[in-house]
Amino acid sequence: MKTATQKISLWEKIGYSLGDGSANLVFQMMMIYQTKFYTDIFGLEGAIAGTVMLIARIVDAFVDPTVGILSDRTNTRWGKYRPWVLWTALPFMVFYILAFYNPGIEDKTLVAVYATISYTLLMSLYSFNNTPYSSLVGVMSGDIKERNSITSIRFVAATIAQFVVQGLTLPLVNKFSDGGDAGHGWLCTISLFAVIGFVFLVITFFTTKERIAPPQSQKSDIRKDIREVFGSVPWRAMFVLTLFLFTTLAMWGSAMNFYFENYVDSAALYAFLDKLGLVYAGVGEGAGYAILNAFGLIVRGPQDAYVVGFGVFNMVGALVQFFGVILLSSFLANRFGKKRVFIICLALTALFTALFYFPGKADVETIFLLNFLKSLAYAPTVPMLWAMMADVADHMEYVSHRRATGFVFAGVVFALKAGLGVGGALLGFLLSGFGYESGAGVVQSAEAVEGIVLSSSLIPAATFFVGVIALLFYPITKSFNEQMQGELAERRARADY
């Protein structure tokens, strides 16, 4: 597995990136739409929906470290981590479909049981697929710039998936909902995404290569791996950062769905979309109309404003992140270091998130402007989390002469999923506490709408700032990382290492 060069071809980087595109076809759906699906399609109360997500986190506490341990101890001719990407591709996508399938059960207790089982199985398969996938970047190359490049291209693919899921899901669901059957619309949309996700994972397996092996002298010792990882200061800092980062992203992403449906004035949003040329005027059905209509992005009346408006809102954010990742992330990380850039950009993200509390219901332009600024501030950080976790795995090898890449990444994947569940659960509990009534088309009380606005602004801004604090304790600076990588390269070149 050791090779003379650590340079990676563009084709391999693109192939690797498709794996994260696949993961984000699932992850973005859960982050933005899972709570809304449970309350409006399954008809579950917000607190019940939140409890479903928390139960899965209990299972994750056992599944995630198990995946890390197993993948670190897997030895095949394809490597340690690549095989898991292939082995789990099909079941992962099957459980994705089942988690968003409405079986038509009337009893709400049985609906909650079905939701719990399907969601928990999906999250378990997410771990078995994404932990080895994320670990793979740590063994593809030890070159700092190559890793920054790999993660930047990876998150270009992730951002495209974000654009598709966040922007096109509701329009596609609306388009596929024959006779108003929203459940059928969801099934068709999720099935489409699942097929694409499966193909992407297969491509990732066949195009990537593992190049860094553990030291030859390293003996398998699970207890020592656990002790080394849990005792690592940079790992603990990244764990807390990931937990609160994805708690916030899940809460804010889901809350903005409710924000657009229940707070933003539909007439003002309709007028804004008309300015963008998305309102059907009854004439001139050309090629542009055909394309937009194919994805359900044509507004035929104020009743369509929420579905299309929220999609456009998300697409704007995804496009800004896309260009931010391409133009800013690697440049800023290579020049100033990942830690410094992450702190500044995350603090600005928290500030712009807090400002969503202030626009009026009809001030659609300001809402979109804040989304632009927030997405621009957050964009450079998108690839850095995973590149920093690869640095943490190197730091553990640097300090202890042991490498447990899979277990290191298992912890951050657990934190990611825990954040996803806690963020969704927290929003569910907040909605119930403020009196939100589940079910599609229900007019909410003023207290419920105020809770939605708070959950879209000040509350997630506060949890973003916890992530900023965690980064202050992360010790791997740019200069230290360069020194560490140089020494590790010398060690790995020795025959007795």
Side-chain angles (χ1 to χ4, degrees), residues 141-283:
S141 175
D143 186 291
I144 298 174
K145 291 185 178 180
E146 283 297 291
R147 280 186 180 169
N148 289 339
S149 175
I150 292 169
T151 53
S152 293
I153 294 175
R154 166 187 179 177
F155 283 98
V156 168
T159 304
I160 293 173
Q162 175 187 340
F163 176 89
V164 171
V165 173
Q166 292 190 9
L168 299 180
T169 293
L170 290 183
L172 286 174
V173 168
N174 193 46
K175 186 177 183 63
F176 291 139
S177 296
D178 295 336
D181 184 358
H184 181 264
W186 279 100
L187 179 61
C188 292
T189 302
I190 299 298
S191 298
L192 174 62
F193 291 160
V195 170
I196 296 171
F198 172 76
V199 173
F200 282 0
L201 290 172
V202 173
I203 293 174
T204 296
F205 170 78
F206 282 107
T207 55
T208 54
K209 183 177 182 180
E210 299 182 22
R211 294 173 175 80
I212 299 176
Q216 295 180 15
S217 59
Q218 177 174 317
K219 296 181 179 179
S220 178
D221 191 329
I222 295 176
R223 290 184 179 180
K224 185 172 287 188
D225 287 348
I226 293 173
R227 185 168 61 250
E228 295 289 348
V229 170
F230 285 174
S232 168
V233 172
W235 184 87
R236 292 202 298 262
M238 293 304 296
F239 183 90
V240 174
L241 168 66
T242 305
L243 176 62
F244 279 89
L245 183 63
F246 284 94
T247 294
T248 308
L249 292 174
M251 176 169 47
W252 186 81
S254 294
M256 288 306 295
N257 197 341
F258 292 92
Y259 183 92
F260 264 78
E261 184 176 29
N262 298 282
Y263 178 71
V264 176
D265 182 75
S266 59
L269 183 58
Y270 178 79
F272 178 78
L273 294 173
D274 191 18
K275 293 178 183 178
L276 298 180
L278 296 176
V279 172
Y280 177 58
V283 294

Side-chain angles (χ1 to χ4, degrees), residues 324-384:
V325 167
I326 292 176
L327 300 176
L328 298 175
S329 190
S330 289
F331 169 76
L332 293 175
N334 291 331
R335 181 161 185 174
F336 302 106
K338 294 185 279 286
K339 175 182 177 178
R340 184 182 301 178
V341 174
F342 214 134
I343 288 174
I344 294 173
C345 289
L346 190 58
L348 288 172
T349 303
L351 173 63
F352 292 127
T353 300
L355 294 178
F356 274 94
Y357 181 78
F358 298 100
K361 295 181 178 182
D363 199 357
V364 178
E365 287 83 359
T366 301
I367 293 170
F368 272 77
L369 175 61
L370 287 175
N371 185 41
F372 177 91
L373 295 173
K374 173 186 173 295
S375 301
L376 183 62
Y378 183 68
T381 74
V382 173
M384 291 182 188

